[in-house]
Amino acid sequence: MALANPTKKRPKYLDLTQIHLPLPGIVSILHRISGLALFLIGIPFLLWVLNCSVASQEGFESWRETFNRPPVKIILIGFIWAYLHHFFAGLRFLALDVHKGISLPAARASSKLVLIVSVASTLLLGGWLW
């Protein structure tokens, strides 16, 4: 049996695993993920640590010993990266909001710059923390 309307195009199936996101899109998604991680995990945890460490000398010493362990330092370096990436990507988005760097080459260059600066700053601060 023939189709009723052969000229009508059917919707195209999009395989999301085959779509390659451009670099500005990746920076945007990482900005959202880092903001969510900082808001839901990082800030409450660090406020709790601050509360425990100022409550007593024993609490301070306990957290000081905890933060000297290598796995905890790696987690802290991850949160440092999340903060720095969120900060620098936020500056990039503020510039885009005032129509600076909205052309495609400028947007790609600024997203590369955000990634490079956030990783380099993380390596510097992480090396100092270690």
Side-chain angles (χ1 to χ4, degrees):
M1 182 172 172
L3 294 174
N5 188 357
T7 59
K8 183 178 178 182
K9 290 194 172 205
R10 295 184 50 94
K12 185 175 181 178
Y13 170 72
L14 293 177
D15 186 6
L16 296 179
T17 61
Q18 300 296 321
I19 295 175
H20 297 287
L21 198 61
L23 190 58
I26 293 170
V27 168
S28 176
I29 289 173
L30 287 175
H31 178 73
R32 292 170 190 233
I33 292 170
S34 63
L36 186 68
L38 289 170
F39 183 73
L40 293 179
I41 301 168
I43 293 173
F45 176 71
L46 290 177
L47 286 175
W48 178 57
V49 169
L50 179 65
N51 184 34
C52 292
S53 66
V54 298
S56 66
Q57 182 68 25
E58 294 81 24
F60 176 79
E61 291 298 328
S62 171
W63 281 109
R64 187 175 181 186
E65 290 173 14
T66 302
F67 285 146
N68 281 330
R69 297 181 183 149
V72 177
K73 285 184 180 184
I74 291 172
I75 292 170
L76 287 176
I77 289 172
F79 277 111
I80 289 171
W81 173 83
Y83 173 75
L84 290 172
H85 176 79
H86 194 75
F87 177 76
F88 290 122
L91 292 178
R92 176 183 178 266
F93 290 127
L94 285 175
L96 292 173
D97 285 343
V98 294
H99 303 287
K100 300 292 180 192
I102 58 174
S103 68
L104 187 57
R108 286 181 177 158
S110 66
S111 57
K112 285 180 188 175
L113 183 66
V114 164
L115 290 175
I116 290 169
V117 169
S118 66
V119 169
S121 300
T122 302
L123 290 175
L124 287 173
L125 286 173
W128 174 74
L129 175 68
W130 205 270

